[in-house]
Amino acid sequence: MCKSLNKISCPRCHSQNLYRFGKDKAGNQKYQCKDCRRQFTLEDCKGKKNRILRGYPRCPVCGSGTYLHHDYEYYSHYTCNSKKCGHSIYVAKPINIPSASCELINGKTDFKRMRFPLFLILTALNLYYLNASSTRRIAQFFKITYNVKVSHVTIASWCKKFAPIFLSIANKLTKNLDLSASDEWHADETVVFINGKKHYLWLIIDSENRMVLGFNLSPSRDASQAFALFKSASKFGCPSAIVTDRLGSYNLATKTIFNTSKHIKVQSFKDDISNNLIEAFNDTFKDWYKRKRGFKSFESANTLITMFIFHYNFLRPHYSLNNLIPVQVACILDDEKNINKYLLSA
C-alpha cells in the first residue's frame, strides 16, 4: 500500500486497507476499500473525517463497521459492511419490549394488621401451594388441629394478597445472582385456561439448580411474548445455551437477547439434549393447577402462579437435588432456617 494512503480511511467501515481505483468523471482520484469494497473519492469524505458510526456496533467477527439492515419494534438488525463476512448482529430495544406478567404484581407489601398470627397464614400457604390442599380442607385442618375457626374465603384471599411480599423477598435474595456459568436454560410454554379461554404460560428454568427464572402469562404465542420472557430472565446473565422446542417465536428472541448463547432446538425425544427438565416442571405445575379447575381472571392467575413459583424455588425440596431447595443449590441461602427467617421478618 502506498504511504500516502495511510491517512485515508474508508467512509463506511473506517478501514485503511485501500488501493487506488482509477478516477471519476471529474478527474478525482478514486479509492476502493479491500474489506467492504466501497468506492469513494476524497470529495466524498469531506466533513466525514471525524464521523462516528451512529452508535452502530462493530462486527464481532472481522471488526468492520456495520449498517442498519432492518429496524423493528423490539430489535435492530445490523449487517457487516464487509461482503466477505456479511455477519448479522441483532440488538434488542429493552425500552420497547413489554414487561413479562411476572413483573406486574401489585398489592399488600407486609403482614401488618392481620387478624390471625403469621405462622397460621404461612401454614395455610404451604398447605395450599406445596400440598395442593383446598381452602376448605385447610380451614378444616385449622379447626381440628388448632381449634381456630378460619373461613375458607379468608384463606383463599391469603393465597392471593401476599404475592407482592413474596415477590419482593425473591427479588431481594436474587438481586446479585449471576447464572452465566450455567450450561443450559430451558424454555417452554404450557396451556392454562382463564375463565374458559386458552392462555399460554411461558417458562424458563435453569438446568443446574432447577430454579424457575421467570414466567409470562399471555393469550398468544407470538414473538413479543418470547421477548418479554427472555428480557425478564436476562437479569440473571447469559447461559451457554438456550434449549427450546421448534416454535419460531423463540428464534429472534434468542438471537437478540442471548446473542452469545447457542440456541438448541429440540427435534425429538431421542436427541442428546432434550427439554424433559421443563416438561417435568410442567407436570408438577399441572398437578397443582388441575385441582383449581382453571382460573377466574388474568390477575388472579398471574398472582397464584407467582406464589406457586416462589414456593417451588424457595420452599419445595427436590428429589433430583438430593432433597435440597433450588436456592440452596444456587448458594443464595444456606438452609431452611434462613429462609424462614426472611419470611418471618417480612
Side-chain angles (χ1 to χ4, degrees):
M1 181 188 301
C2 181
K3 294 182 179 179
S4 62
L5 298 181
N6 290 339
K7 296 181 180 180
I8 303 174
S9 60
C10 174
R12 174 187 286 171
C13 67
H14 297 277
S15 172
Q16 293 185 343
N17 190 14
L18 312 173
Y19 59 87
R20 292 186 174 90
F21 198 73
K23 296 184 179 182
D24 62 5
K25 294 181 180 180
N28 298 318
Q29 180 65 55
K30 290 179 64 177
Y31 302 92
Q32 185 175 39
C33 177
K34 293 183 180 180
D35 294 328
C36 70
R37 300 300 179 183
R38 172 68 181 268
Q39 298 176 20
F40 63 95
T41 65
L42 294 181
E43 294 294 326
D44 298 333
C45 299
K46 284 187 176 180
K48 299 181 180 179
K49 292 182 179 179
N50 298 324
R51 170 176 167 253
I52 302 175
L53 289 177
R54 302 178 185 174
Y56 294 175
R58 282 195 170 273
C59 177
V61 177
C62 66
S64 299
T66 60
Y67 65 92
L68 184 61
H69 193 276
H70 281 102
D71 192 22
Y72 297 101
E73 183 178 2
Y74 303 124
Y75 68 97
S76 297
H77 176 199
Y78 299 93
T79 303
C80 179
N81 289 325
S82 176
K83 294 183 179 180
K84 292 182 178 179
C85 178
H87 182 72
S88 293
I89 305 169
Y90 297 87
V91 179
K93 297 180 180 179
I95 299 177
N96 295 348
I97 298 175
S99 299
S101 65
C102 62
E103 301 172 351
L104 306 177
I105 302 294
N106 297 310
K108 189 175 177 61
T109 57
D110 56 56
F111 289 106
K112 296 179 181 179
R113 295 181 296 277
M114 296 301 299
R115 177 183 173 186
F116 295 94
L118 179 58
F119 88 92
L120 207 65
I121 297 174
L122 295 179
T123 301
L125 295 179
N126 289 337
L127 290 173
Y128 186 83
Y129 289 105
L130 297 180
N131 296 342
S133 299
S134 67
T135 55
R136 293 182 183 274
R137 289 183 178 180
I138 296 173
Q140 187 180 35
F141 171 80
F142 285 161
K143 181 62 178 177
I144 295 174
T145 307
Y146 302 112
N147 195 25
V148 176
K149 187 176 180 180
V150 185
S151 171
H152 70 278
V153 178
T154 301
I155 296 174
S157 68
W158 290 350
C159 297
K160 300 177 184 177
K161 71 189 303 181
F162 299 115
I165 300 177
F166 292 95
L167 182 61
S168 65
I169 293 173
N171 291 337
K172 182 178 180 181
L173 293 176
T174 60
K175 182 179 180 180
N176 299 320
L177 180 62
D178 187 5
L179 300 176
S180 298
S182 298
D183 292 334
E184 301 157 4
W185 289 359
H186 295 256
D188 193 22
E189 69 284 344
T190 187
V191 175
V192 297
F193 286 89
I194 301 177
N195 200 18
K197 295 182 180 180
K198 182 186 290 188
H199 283 66
Y200 297 94
L201 177 61
W202 302 69
L203 297 154
I204 184 166
I205 190 170
D206 186 2
S207 63
E208 297 188 6
N209 53 43
R210 305 300 195 270
M211 278 191 66
V212 178
L213 306 179
F215 76 89
N216 184 36
L217 186 63
S218 69
S220 64
R221 291 201 298 174
D222 56 20
S224 64
Q225 308 303 327
F227 271 95
L229 174 70
F230 287 171
K231 176 189 172 184
S232 67
S234 62
K235 62 184 177 182
F236 297 111
C238 187
S240 300
I242 299 291
V243 182
T244 69
D245 54 20
R246 289 174 289 175
L247 181 66
S249 300
Y250 291 114
N251 295 339
L252 287 173
T254 305
K255 288 180 182 179
T256 304
I257 298 179
F258 299 118
N259 51 14
T260 60
S261 301
K262 181 181 179 182
H263 187 192
I264 301 175
K265 302 177 186 179
V266 177
Q267 301 293 329
S268 68
F269 293 105
K270 298 180 181 179
D271 292 350
D272 294 335
I273 298 178
S274 67
N275 229 7
N276 293 342
L277 178 65
I278 197 167
E279 294 292 351
F281 171 83
N282 288 341
D283 290 341
T284 303
F285 171 77
K286 284 297 183 68
D287 184 58
W288 170 83
Y289 158 74
K290 288 179 179 178
R291 297 171 186 261
K292 312 306 167 193
R293 299 179 182 178
F295 301 111
K296 294 184 178 180
S297 67
F298 184 90
E299 292 74 15
S300 175
N302 197 39
T303 301
L304 291 173
I305 293 171
T306 298
M307 293 287 286
F308 177 85
I309 290 178
F310 177 87
H311 283 75
Y312 186 89
N313 286 340
F314 291 86
L315 295 171
R316 181 192 294 270
H318 292 253
Y319 294 112
S320 60
L321 301 177
N322 295 325
N323 289 323
L324 296 177
I325 302 171
V327 291
Q328 292 179 261
V329 180
C331 300
I332 298 175
L333 294 175
D334 297 332
D335 52 33
E336 297 181 12
K337 292 182 179 179
N338 289 333
I339 298 173
N340 293 328
K341 179 187 71 173
Y342 274 98
L343 293 178
L344 293 174
S345 62

